[in-house]
Amino acid sequence: MSRTSGRAGGRTGSRRARRAVRLTPPRLTPRDVLHVGSAGLRSRPMRVFLSALGIAIGIATMIAVVGISSSSQAKLLRELDRLGTNMLVATPGQGMFNGQDTKLPKDAPGMISRIQGVESIGTTGDVAESVRRSENIPAEETGGIVLKAAKDDLLGTLRARMGSGTWLNEATGRYPSVVLGDVSARRLGITEPGQQVFIGGRYFTVIGILAPVPLAPEIERSALIGWDAAEQLLGFDGHPTAVYERSADDRVAQVRNLIAQTANPQTPSAVAVSDPSAALQAKAATEGAFSTLLLGLGGIALLVGGVGVANTMIISVLERRHEIGLRRSLGATKGQIRIQFVTESLLLSGLGGLAGIALGAAATAVYARAGDLPWVVPLWAVSGGFAATLAIGTLAGLYPAVRAAKLSPTLALAAG
């Protein structure tokens, strides 16, 4: 019994001894993971640069496309805020039966101004005369410039600004003086007030040049003279061609429904009513439509960069088999090897992503400054782009990491 008991006690003791000497794999702190993960990057800087460059180009393209589109949209929205969306324009339509252009009644501006909610009125009328730089230029060469009679309240209704000189008033509107739109001034070669243009057999003095008028591009290509001067000097018939009105923001829809029947009670269908701000609103809404293709190209570049990272990581695993075998022999687990190479891939992609964000933001800033746009880089584009680089880095490093973890320590050391 004593001998048997001794054997049993010996076996129990040996099991305890084996359990006592069983090795516990070391744990890696986040700092250790970062250190071993960056070791491969520090030893091969040129390869890291070239691999990160592909990621950087893809992210830079995506950030620049979104940033440029957002900057252009911000400028349009800012312009809309300044110009307002409460302006409507009444113009002659076509007759119901003959299909020919009609005329607005002479009292149409006054009638429209009586609509409840209308705050201001501006009126123009086309004058059948050409505008030339001098009498030596043939009358047929109009340069696409339209002569219009204008009332002095037009500038305020359009919320337009003078580029130089002054606007028409009760005094200058009676004499041969003219205000040019910015496009017509360029076509005539007029750079400053005080010069003259030839209209209807006499010279008119340019007293002002308008700044661009986004809500009324037809004004930019016009020469504007006073209403009284047009009637007395050029035989203008006094019928308005366009009546611009500003109404309270909450009354725009109501005013729109009343303009036609108010301007021409006998034939409301012969009055066309338009909203000039609709074009700018549509342009702002669709500003990013053409950026979809470029975003797709940026995504393709990003995927190509991810393939480059994966290729770099596979080569790194093949070159560092001895290091992997040595670490495994010293107690590193397969999981720790996987973490090492995935971390290395993430760091490589992250560096490329940060460089790409900086390049994309810089490209947007250069474009915005050149085009006089506000510099806008949406936060969602930056965060989304960086998240995409991390996702690409994880996927690109996953296969090489698994392959590295499967290497046999003995074979890896022998291969080294």
Side-chain angles (χ1 to χ4, degrees), residues 131-137 188-190 195-198 203:
V131 181
R132 293 173 284 167
R133 190 66 178 84
S134 73
E135 57 186 315
N136 298 321
I137 297 176
L188 290 168
I190 303 294
Q195 302 180 38
Q196 292 186 321
V197 293
F198 192 72
Y203 280 94

Side-chain angles (χ1 to χ4, degrees), residues 64-300:
V65 166
V66 175
I68 290 172
S69 176
S70 299
S71 298
S72 300
Q73 188 179 49
K75 182 180 181 180
L76 285 173
L77 293 176
R78 183 180 298 178
E79 193 71 16
L80 273 173
D81 288 339
R82 185 184 71 83
L83 297 173
T85 58
N86 60 341
M87 188 174 79
L88 298 173
V89 184
T91 56
Q94 291 185 340
M96 181 180 299
F97 301 105
N98 54 20
Q100 297 180 352
D101 291 339
T102 60
K103 292 184 178 182
L104 292 177
K106 293 183 179 181
D107 60 351
M111 297 294 290
I112 293 175
S113 65
R114 296 188 181 96
I115 299 176
Q116 186 176 6
V118 172
E119 296 177 342
S120 63
I121 290 288
T123 310
T124 63
D126 290 348
V127 182
E129 293 287 349
S130 62
V131 181
R132 293 173 284 167
R133 190 66 178 84
S134 73
E135 57 186 315
N136 298 321
I137 297 176
E140 295 79 15
E141 296 183 10
T142 63
I145 300 171
V146 179
L147 180 64
K148 293 179 180 290
K151 296 198 173 178
D152 54 8
D153 50 7
L154 178 66
L155 187 72
T157 301
L158 293 178
R159 294 183 185 174
R161 294 176 293 189
M162 298 300 302
S164 59
T166 59
W167 177 245
L168 299 165
N169 54 39
E170 292 185 2
T172 57
R174 299 175 181 271
Y175 298 99
S177 56
V178 61
V179 173
L180 300 177
D182 68 311
V183 174
S184 60
R186 290 198 303 269
R187 291 177 180 176
L188 290 168
I190 303 294
T191 58
E192 58 185 9
Q195 302 180 38
Q196 292 186 321
V197 293
F198 192 72
I199 303 173
R202 68 174 66 204
Y203 280 94
F204 280 62
T205 301
V206 177
I207 63 171
I209 300 174
L210 287 169
V213 189
L215 288 187
E218 67 277 4
I219 299 297
E220 299 176 351
R221 299 184 292 272
S222 301
L224 305 165
I225 61 176
W227 200 272
D228 293 337
E231 291 179 328
Q232 296 169 10
L233 302 178
L234 301 176
F236 173 54
D237 62 7
H239 285 276
T241 305
V243 179
Y244 303 85
E245 71 82 27
R246 290 276 183 181
S247 54
D249 291 333
D250 58 345
R251 293 296 185 94
V252 175
Q254 179 182 351
V255 171
R256 186 185 186 112
N257 294 332
L258 296 174
I259 283 183
Q261 61 191 32
T262 303
N264 192 346
Q266 296 181 346
T267 317
S269 60
V271 180
V273 182
S274 61
D275 179 2
S277 67
L280 282 182
Q281 293 180 55
K283 186 176 180 181
T286 59
E287 184 63 37
F290 292 103
S291 65
T292 304
L293 176 61
L294 295 178
L295 279 176
L297 294 176
I300 293 173

Side-chain angles (χ1 to χ4, degrees), residues 392-404:
I392 291 289
T394 302
L395 294 175
L398 200 56
Y399 170 72
V402 172
R403 182 171 178 174

Side-chain angles (χ1 to χ4, degrees), residues 28-63:
L28 295 179
T29 64
R31 182 178 180 181
D32 296 331
V33 172
L34 185 63
H35 179 75
V36 297
S38 60
L41 304 183
R42 295 194 302 269
S43 62
R44 298 169 178 82
M46 183 54 66
R47 183 182 297 175
V48 169
F49 171 76
L50 294 176
S51 299
L53 185 61
I55 295 287
I57 291 174
I59 291 298
T61 302
M62 299 176 73
I63 294 295

